[in-house]
Amino acid sequence: MKDAKFAITDIETTGNGIKGNRITEICVMVVQNGELIDQYSSLVNPSQSIPLYIESLTGINDEMVSNAPQFSEIADEVEKITRDCIFVAHNVSFDYNILRAEFSNINRDFKRKRICTVRLTKKLIPGLFSYSLGNICTSINIPHFDRHRAGGDCEATVTLFQRCVSLDPEYEVITEFLNRKTGAAYLPPNFKNSDFEKLPKETGVYFFKDKDGIPLYIGKAKNIKSRIKSHFQERSNRKYKLMQETYSIDYELTGNEFLALLRESDLILKYYPKFNKAQKKYTKPYTLTSYHNQKGIEVFALHKNKISPVNWMKFYTREEAIKFMEYVCEKFELCPKYAGLQRGVTTCDHYKIHSCSGVCKGQIEVDDYNDRVAHALDFINQYENSCLIMEKGRTKEEKSFIYLDKGRYAGYGFINNSEDFSHPEDFRNYLIPQKNSSYTDRLVSRYINTKNNLNKLPLNSIEEVIENEPADWFH
């Protein structure tokens, strides 16, 4: 390792994160055995305009790069000087991925082992107020000239790297960081590797937090540690910005995926993290209603915007609603025409359902047909009962429950496996109440209607039937 070559690199760009960002200047300085043995630098024509704020920061403008070579013209030089070297940069994921993108644009690959001097400095020089290049140089008296220019920043990074090597003469820390299995190569610059190693492999929700502990992003996972690592490895402008702002990661174990989904929704609606896109827009559901037409037949209808005095169920896609009503039609021999499945027909002629009792053809009395509808409504009403859905807990010694108040998500809790409720209301001693939303409505609906063996504890006098009914219309 002592004879290894390190290509300390700095680039200036047009801005805009990772994707669409182009290099305007590059400097590479090769260090071996603590000595500078080679270097290369050049302005680069990015083939796009340099934003004013970038020009103000770096001093590089369109005129300066107008006659500079494009990256394709210097790619051979960059590849050659970094060949057989370990790629080093301050916040290495940025420089390395921008450089890889430039090579990819000309249909060439670029792979190097890499080390981040931000993470290296945190390990070897702990306790600094800030680990930005400028602040580190000020704190430990490293000369830093021409800030935000590739040459000046690269020279400062070389000195910083040499200082780190002096503190790690046997290259033990550097060797550890080069081991990709530790995950250190992927971690955000402000996040500790030791904290990553402590993350659990269990099911739950996780929080990316900023330096003030405010959630930036909330997600759920079956394996929290594995999912978080996949975030680190994603390459997009949005994920890059998230990683730059992340200082800590917290988590909450749930024991099962359904509760993790519900908790994710609860927490997103509570904190509205800036990097979460989903669940911030209200989605109007399809509502199942019924009414009596002029013939006295009770008719089902599906709608999204109308207000009706009678609402039976809600669905969050039309496909789900159609599949459910097809199932109800066949089960209770209802007419597709009067079940919201066909329009503009005199008598039903459904491609799939052939079990109509004949009300559309006058083959059955209206009262007899409405009795069938009444049985169907009894079946539908059971989806609106108050109940507890029992699921796996966070450990082998406990189980979790999700409380549905008249079919709507209202909270969750955990109890010991050996504990049985002597009275249904006993669950309230363990309940953690939560607010319902259109998104949790959708999660509960899909979960109940797709679960063949639902472990459900009724909280009223209506007998449990969902567990015994085939619920495959959403499969």
Side-chain angles (χ1 to χ4, degrees):
M1 177 60 71
K2 292 183 178 180
D3 293 328
K5 292 191 295 183
F6 298 89
I8 289 87
T9 304
D10 189 85
I11 60 174
E12 301 301 329
T13 71
T14 56
N16 301 319
I18 298 290
K19 293 186 177 179
N21 203 351
R22 303 300 301 274
I23 295 176
T24 58
E25 188 176 34
I26 184 170
C27 181
V28 182
M29 297 183 176
V30 181
V31 173
Q32 186 177 36
N33 294 317
E35 300 295 329
L36 181 66
I37 63 170
D38 199 2
Q39 61 181 311
Y40 172 81
S41 64
S42 177
L43 287 168
V44 182
N45 187 335
S47 300
Q48 66 182 52
S49 181
I50 298 173
L52 182 60
Y53 77 95
I54 294 293
E55 179 183 336
S56 300
L57 180 68
T58 66
I60 301 173
N61 56 37
D62 292 336
E63 183 179 355
M64 290 173 62
V65 298
S66 60
N67 294 318
Q70 295 186 344
F71 183 79
S72 59
E73 299 175 70
I74 66 168
D76 287 340
E77 290 288 343
V78 175
E79 194 284 327
K80 180 180 178 182
I81 195 170
T82 60
R83 190 184 302 162
D84 300 322
C85 292
I86 296 167
F87 190 93
V88 181
H90 203 71
N91 193 2
V92 71
S93 62
F94 175 79
D95 298 79
Y96 182 74
N97 285 298
I98 292 293
L99 203 51
R100 287 195 71 184
E102 290 283 10
F103 274 100
S104 179
N105 289 338
I106 57 175
N107 299 313
R108 292 175 62 172
D109 201 9
F110 182 81
K111 289 184 179 180
R112 302 287 187 268
K113 292 183 178 181
R114 55 200 183 275
I115 287 179
C116 180
T117 51
V118 176
R119 305 196 64 78
L120 194 61
T121 309
K122 282 187 172 184
K123 180 75 173 181
L124 296 169
I125 314 175
L128 298 183
F129 175 74
S130 168
Y131 285 87
S132 69
L133 183 59
N135 287 334
I136 291 174
C137 290
T138 300
S139 297
I140 60 177
N141 299 316
I142 291 177
H144 188 186
F145 305 107
D146 293 329
R147 296 189 180 195
H148 302 300
R149 289 296 300 268
D153 287 350
C154 195
E155 285 182 2
T157 306
V158 167
T159 305
L160 175 60
F161 182 72
Q162 290 170 327
R163 188 76 59 88
C164 288
V165 169
S166 70
L167 297 171
D168 185 33
E170 300 302 322
Y171 289 79
E172 293 177 359
V173 174
I174 291 173
T175 301
E176 177 191 348
F177 281 10
L178 286 172
N179 182 2
R180 292 169 65 95
K181 292 182 180 179
T182 65
Y186 303 110
L187 301 186
N190 300 305
F191 185 62
K192 297 178 182 178
N193 184 52
S194 58
D195 290 341
F196 174 74
E197 295 302 326
K198 294 176 184 177
L199 292 172
K201 296 182 180 180
E202 284 79 35
T203 302
V205 292
Y206 54 88
F207 316 72
F208 285 80
K209 294 183 175 181
D210 66 12
K211 61 183 178 180
D212 297 317
I214 297 172
L216 297 166
Y217 178 84
I218 296 172
K220 59 86 185 172
K222 188 173 182 179
N223 182 323
I224 290 176
K225 187 173 186 177
S226 177
R227 181 66 184 103
I228 288 175
K229 184 176 180 181
S230 73
H231 280 296
F232 296 160
Q233 295 171 322
E234 289 181 34
R235 298 295 174 233
S236 68
N237 288 349
R238 189 176 185 82
K239 281 297 168 63
Y240 169 74
K241 291 177 181 177
L242 171 60
M243 296 305 112
Q244 297 307 299
E245 295 184 36
T246 296
Y247 279 74
S248 64
I249 297 177
D250 203 353
Y251 60 87
E252 177 184 313
L253 299 182
T254 62
N256 62 85
E257 291 182 83
F258 181 44
L259 183 52
L261 277 167
L262 292 169
R263 290 297 294 140
E264 178 190 40
S265 176
D266 294 338
L267 293 163
I268 288 174
L269 292 176
K270 179 178 180 179
Y271 293 107
Y272 281 87
K274 64 188 275 188
F275 287 95
N276 280 96
K277 290 182 178 180
Q279 304 180 39
K280 291 185 178 180
K281 292 183 179 180
Y282 172 73
T283 301
K284 284 187 177 181
Y286 287 91
T287 302
L288 177 65
T289 66
S290 68
Y291 62 93
H292 289 84
N293 67 8
Q294 293 179 342
K295 296 180 180 179
I297 299 172
E298 188 159 8
V299 178
F300 285 108
L302 289 167
H303 65 77
K304 228 180 180 185
N305 299 311
K306 295 179 181 178
I307 297 176
S308 172
V310 179
N311 296 318
W312 299 115
M313 289 185 72
K314 292 181 179 180
F315 304 88
Y316 289 87
T317 68
R318 186 168 180 80
E319 291 72 22
E320 291 174 0
I322 295 296
K323 287 181 180 180
F324 180 79
M325 289 309 299
E326 287 176 348
Y327 177 83
V328 171
C329 271
E330 291 186 308
K331 181 176 179 64
F332 296 97
E333 297 184 354
L334 303 184
C335 177
K337 174 184 176 181
Y338 296 124
L341 298 176
Q342 285 192 295
R343 295 180 180 177
V345 295
T346 304
T347 60
C348 70
D349 184 23
H350 197 275
Y351 77 100
K352 182 179 179 181
I353 300 171
H354 307 290
S355 56
C356 174
S357 55
V359 68
C360 58
K361 299 176 183 178
Q363 297 174 348
I364 183 176
E365 294 295 329
V366 170
D367 288 344
D368 291 338
Y369 180 78
N370 285 347
D371 283 343
R372 296 175 186 269
V373 174
H375 288 302
L377 288 175
D378 286 342
F379 171 76
I380 290 170
N381 279 333
Q382 292 170 68
Y383 288 83
E384 302 295 313
N385 292 342
S386 296
C387 67
L388 301 180
I389 296 176
M390 309 305 296
E391 268 285 4
K392 291 189 299 184
R394 298 161 295 186
T395 67
K396 292 181 180 180
E397 290 73 34
E398 73 173 12
K399 52 191 172 184
S400 66
F401 65 83
I402 292 93
Y403 172 44
L404 303 186
D405 183 11
K406 297 180 180 179
R408 301 289 182 263
Y409 171 59
Y412 68 99
F414 300 95
I415 60 172
N416 192 282
N417 279 332
S418 61
E419 188 161 0
D420 291 318
F421 298 132
S422 58
H423 188 278
E425 290 301 304
D426 288 348
F427 81 92
R428 295 189 181 277
N429 295 327
Y430 306 89
L431 178 67
I432 304 171
Q434 298 296 320
K435 292 183 179 179
N436 182 50
S437 69
S438 62
Y439 191 78
T440 55
D441 271 351
R442 181 173 185 171
L443 293 176
V444 169
S445 174
R446 292 183 69 88
Y447 181 83
I448 289 178
N449 295 328
T450 57
K451 194 78 170 178
N452 284 323
N453 297 306
L454 188 65
N455 187 7
K456 178 168 168 279
L457 177 63
L459 295 178
N460 52 28
S461 59
I462 298 177
E463 289 186 9
E464 163 59 43
V465 299
I466 297 177
E467 182 175 354
N468 301 318
E469 292 290 344
D472 58 357
W473 46 83
F474 288 119
H475 285 185

